[in-house]
Amino acid sequence: MEATRSLYIRAKPFLAVIFLQIGLAGMDILSKVALNRGMSNYVLVVYRHAVATFIIAPFALVLDKKVRPKMTVSIFIKLLLLSLLEPVIDQNLYYMGMKYTSATFAATMVNILPAITFLMAWIMRLEVVKCRSLRSQAKIVGTVATVGGAMMMTLVKGPALTFLSKNSVTDHGAKSLDISVHDAIKGSIMITIGCFSWAAFVILQAITLNTYPVELSLTAWICLLGTLEGTAVALVMEKGRSHVWAIGWDANLLAAVYSGIFCSGLLYFIQGVVMKERGPVFVTAFSPLCMVIVAILSTFLMAEKMYLGRVFGAIVIVVGLYMVIWGKGKDYDTHTPPLDEDKTTDQNISTQIQLQGQVEDVNNNSHWLHINQDHIHV
């Protein structure tokens, strides 16, 4: 039982981030269907976070009532910036990039996220990197491999694997994967800028949790402020087009509800919990897994063609992801917090000094007792 419990504790962060990537893959598929049906990406962002706020806020009010720290101006400014970086900037640019390309293409481009996050975390000293350490080298090489695999999936096609898509359905407003170079470049630029915004969001979330360590309340605030800021942006961008706000019992509503619950509410919360234990790089390192899932689902559900180059790119990404996981495997111990080598050395030296002092005290006391015994004898 102890071995099983220990294994479960160690596996929890991995299971959590894998669950998040499966949820993001479903969001990509549903969002692409809704966007192909003519739904505004600005409106989708607003509805998505409105749903997330409606679901998360009651739990945050009740469960965090006794542990929620006092709101300060500094924390509120961070919340405003967080709700602007991911809910507004990143998601709108990601959806716009997906409009010009495809769900698989967008999910593939997001694989640059681990590299950007790794670099930002390194600069902000949130990630420990020792160039002579084999595990640090594995993290660096693995991160580069995930980006290289993503680029391979984007640029290298090869022969089409028709046996995977011959039975694919072509309804739901799906488009084939024949993307023009102009649209691919435009979509890539939008998604890349969105990835920088997402990486900055992850880093800022990790910093904010140090002064506002309530993941549920933090999620509720981000969703609420993201709804308000997204509404302001949507009103400006969709001015004079009131019909875009209409929504029925269709794929548009399903995309908004699903994305709000799984990819805003649960994602921000679980991401914050895992980040406090494993750091921001660990959370984003699994993003290539989403691309593999989206590529498989899009092939069968949205009639997107699968190419041999994508298969090889996916293999490279999986290998790179394994290297990152292996490299970070010893960064954190489940039972004891991680210690730097320098701190450990200082502690050892301090312990030795204390022991030496205790030995000297014992010797002095023994000498004093010996003198007193001689005096009594005399």
Side-chain angles (χ1 to χ4, degrees):
M1 292 297 294
E2 281 295 326
T4 304
R5 184 174 178 274
S6 177
L7 180 62
Y8 172 71
I9 292 175
R10 292 179 179 274
K12 277 198 303 183
F14 297 91
L15 296 176
V17 291
I18 290 174
F19 171 77
L20 292 181
Q21 295 308 317
I22 294 174
L24 288 172
M27 180 210 70
D28 284 339
I29 300 297
L30 293 175
S31 299
K32 181 58 178 176
V33 172
L35 293 173
N36 286 346
R37 290 170 56 90
M39 187 176 189
S40 168
N41 58 278
Y42 301 105
V43 174
L44 177 57
V45 168
V46 173
Y47 285 157
R48 167 178 171 172
H49 290 91
V51 171
T53 304
F54 180 78
I55 298 296
I56 297 296
F59 291 97
L61 288 173
V62 176
L63 299 179
D64 289 346
K65 183 178 180 180
K66 296 182 179 180
V67 296
R68 188 184 305 110
K70 183 180 179 181
M71 180 62 66
T72 62
V73 175
S74 175
I75 294 175
F76 189 72
I77 292 175
K78 292 177 182 177
L79 292 175
L80 288 173
L81 188 56
L82 283 170
S83 58
L84 180 65
L85 285 172
E86 212 286 319
V88 179
I89 298 177
D90 170 52
Q91 290 182 21
N92 276 304
L93 289 175
Y94 183 76
Y95 286 146
M96 291 171 65
M98 187 186 293
K99 273 186 177 181
Y100 286 104
T101 56
S102 67
T104 305
F105 188 94
T108 302
M109 286 299 302
V110 172
N111 288 298
I112 65 175
L113 177 65
I116 299 173
T117 307
F118 183 82
L119 183 60
M120 286 187 177
W122 191 358
I123 294 174
M124 299 296 293
R125 295 184 179 180
L126 297 176
E127 184 72 17
V128 178
V129 177
K130 299 178 180 178
C131 296
R132 294 184 179 181
S133 171
L134 182 61
R135 291 188 176 272
S136 293
Q137 293 172 2
K139 288 189 289 185
I140 296 173
V141 174
T143 303
V144 174
T146 57
V147 177
M151 296 301 101
M152 183 183 298
M153 288 193 67
T154 305
L155 302 175
V156 180
K157 284 188 175 182
L161 304 179
T162 55
F163 65 92
L164 291 178
S165 57
K166 61 182 179 181
N167 295 323
S168 300
V169 294
T170 57
D171 55 351
H172 304 297
K175 297 180 181 180
S176 63
L177 195 60
D178 296 329
I179 306 169
S180 66
V181 176
H182 181 266
D183 288 343
I185 294 175
K186 187 181 296 185
S188 298
I189 294 174
M190 292 179 178
I191 296 172
T192 301
I193 298 175
C195 286
F196 273 95
S197 180
W198 191 352
F201 169 84
V202 173
I203 298 297
L204 183 58
Q205 185 182 13
I207 296 174
T208 305
L209 284 170
N210 293 329
T211 54
Y212 199 73
V214 277
E215 298 87 353
L216 204 57
S217 295
L218 181 63
T219 299
W221 273 111
I222 293 173
C223 293
L224 175 61
L225 296 175
T227 303
L228 298 177
E229 294 175 2
T231 301
V233 173
L235 290 175
V236 173
M237 301 303 296
E238 301 292 353
K239 185 178 181 180
R241 301 180 61 203
S242 58
H243 65 278
V244 299
W245 294 91
I247 191 170
W249 296 92
D250 51 16
N252 296 359
L253 178 62
L254 179 60
V257 173
Y258 177 91
S259 300
I261 295 175
F262 288 97
C263 303
S264 287
L266 288 179
L267 185 142
Y268 298 154
F269 172 69
I270 297 176
Q271 181 174 279
V273 173
V274 176
M275 196 182 302
K276 288 178 68 174
E277 180 182 350
R278 294 281 177 164
V281 175
F282 181 87
V283 174
T284 58
F286 284 76
S287 60
L289 183 61
C290 176
M291 177 272 308
V292 176
I293 299 171
V294 171
I296 295 173
L297 293 178
S298 297
T299 300
F300 291 99
L301 299 180
M302 302 185 68
E304 292 186 0
K305 294 180 181 179
M306 178 64 71
Y307 296 94
L308 185 61
R310 289 190 166 182
V311 174
F312 284 118
I315 294 174
V316 173
I317 287 173
V318 171
V319 173
L321 179 59
Y322 174 80
M323 294 179 67
V324 174
I325 295 172
W326 182 82
K328 291 189 67 65
K330 294 298 182 181
D331 283 357
Y332 303 91
D333 190 353
T334 305
H335 302 288
T336 57
L339 294 174
D340 293 338
E341 292 181 0
D342 295 338
K343 293 182 179 179
T344 304
T345 303
D346 293 340
Q347 290 181 353
N348 292 335
I349 294 174
S350 177
T351 303
Q352 292 176 1
I353 293 174
Q354 291 177 0
L355 291 175
Q356 291 176 358
Q358 292 175 1
V359 171
E360 291 176 357
D361 291 340
V362 171
N363 293 333
N364 292 333
N365 291 334
S366 300
H367 181 67
W368 181 81
L369 289 174
H370 180 71
I371 294 174
N372 285 343
Q373 288 175 356
D374 292 342
H375 178 72
I376 293 172
H377 179 72
V378 173

